[in-house]
Amino acid sequence: HEKPKLEQEKSALLEKEESMKVSLSKLEKDLLEQLASSQGNILEDSKLIQKLSEIKSSSVEIKDALAASSKLQQKLNEEREVYRDFARTASNVFFLIQSLKSLNYMYQFDLPTYLGLFKNTLHTSISSGDVEDRMRILELDLKRYVFQVVARSLFKADRLTFGTHLVRGIRPETVGEEEWKFFVGLVIADSTRAADRVP
């Protein structure tokens, strides 16, 4: 959606690389066949020597093209890497929503529904000239939009739980482990010890 040209360039580059590798392999095979079928002294066979020089020059060209292609592919991968954090967050949010069914069996959200939310976020989010700013804006918009849509489909009593679950899932450092255990009911305060400390 953001830069479809990157994916097209990557696909075209991979196809070109594969065809060059096949050509290189074919040249090597032709060379071996020529050497195997030559008779007599191979240094005196002018056709073979001419074919060898042709194969060598083609091989050098292909290897140079493959090296250039590799550099271009590395550049494309670096450009694509900018989107990884947003993709990781989006994936994390999907699995956090999926885990809601452990809270209540009725809270089941399928992938097509989530993809609809995701695509809607991409279409309605504010554009920015800077890619990193755009990713930050998209991430915030996705979290906000998913929370609004999903929270509307939950019982009111579960909305706070979902909000806390979403925050902890996205930013685990914001809620400590002991606080989380207390919040979900795994730890219960000992009232007898607290009564002993009251003056």
Side-chain angles (χ1 to χ4, degrees):
H1 179 75
E2 287 295 306
K3 288 189 178 178
K5 205 170 189 181
L6 278 179
E7 289 304 313
Q8 293 168 352
E9 286 179 27
K10 175 103 173 147
S11 296
L13 191 62
L14 288 173
E15 282 180 36
K16 186 177 176 185
E17 267 188 27
E18 285 306 311
S19 68
M20 283 190 255
K21 287 177 183 176
V22 168
S23 297
L24 187 60
S25 176
K26 188 176 184 301
L27 287 173
E28 290 171 351
K29 184 179 176 186
D30 287 348
L31 174 63
L32 290 174
E33 286 176 4
Q34 290 276 335
L35 287 172
S37 66
S38 71
Q39 296 174 355
N41 188 354
I42 57 173
L43 296 176
E44 293 174 1
D45 189 350
S46 60
K47 285 184 179 180
L48 179 63
I49 291 175
Q50 185 179 359
K51 187 70 172 173
L52 279 172
S53 63
E54 288 174 14
I55 289 172
K56 182 179 178 184
S57 64
S58 296
S59 173
V60 168
E61 286 175 17
I62 290 173
K63 284 183 180 177
D64 289 344
L66 282 173
S69 175
S70 177
K71 286 180 182 176
L72 184 58
Q73 188 170 351
Q74 185 176 1
K75 182 180 174 245
L76 286 174
N77 284 340
E78 287 171 6
E79 285 184 38
R80 293 170 71 210
E81 196 63 32
V82 175
Y83 300 96
R84 186 156 316 272
D85 287 338
F86 175 61
R88 188 176 296 118
T89 298
S91 167
N92 192 16
V93 168
F94 172 72
F95 287 108
L96 289 168
I97 292 170
Q98 286 295 300
S99 65
L100 281 176
K101 60 185 160 197
S102 64
L103 183 62
N104 189 326
Y105 187 73
M106 292 188 332
Y107 301 153
Q108 296 196 27
F109 299 90
D110 60 355
L111 183 59
T113 302
Y114 181 73
L115 287 176
L117 295 173
F118 183 81
K119 287 177 183 176
N120 194 29
T121 301
L122 292 177
H123 292 296
T124 60
S125 187
I126 300 168
S127 294
S128 174
D130 184 36
V131 177
E132 290 181 8
D133 275 350
R134 173 80 171 139
M135 292 302 102
R136 188 179 47 75
I137 291 167
L138 278 173
E139 189 173 324
L140 288 171
D141 287 351
L142 177 70
K143 290 186 270 190
R144 184 180 304 118
Y145 187 56
V146 166
F147 178 77
Q148 289 171 349
V149 171
V150 172
R152 276 190 296 215
S153 63
L154 303 177
F155 292 124
K156 283 186 179 182
D158 294 331
R159 289 180 183 167
L160 179 61
T161 304
F162 170 61
T164 309
H165 174 65
L166 195 62
V167 168
R168 182 166 190 275
I170 294 171
R171 302 260 186 251
E173 68 277 0
T174 57
V175 180
E177 193 62 35
E178 294 302 315
E179 293 168 314
W180 182 250
K181 286 180 182 177
F182 182 76
F183 180 74
V184 295
L186 297 175
V187 175
I188 300 171
D190 188 358
S191 59
T192 58
R193 296 172 81 194
D196 293 340
R197 284 182 273 169
V198 175

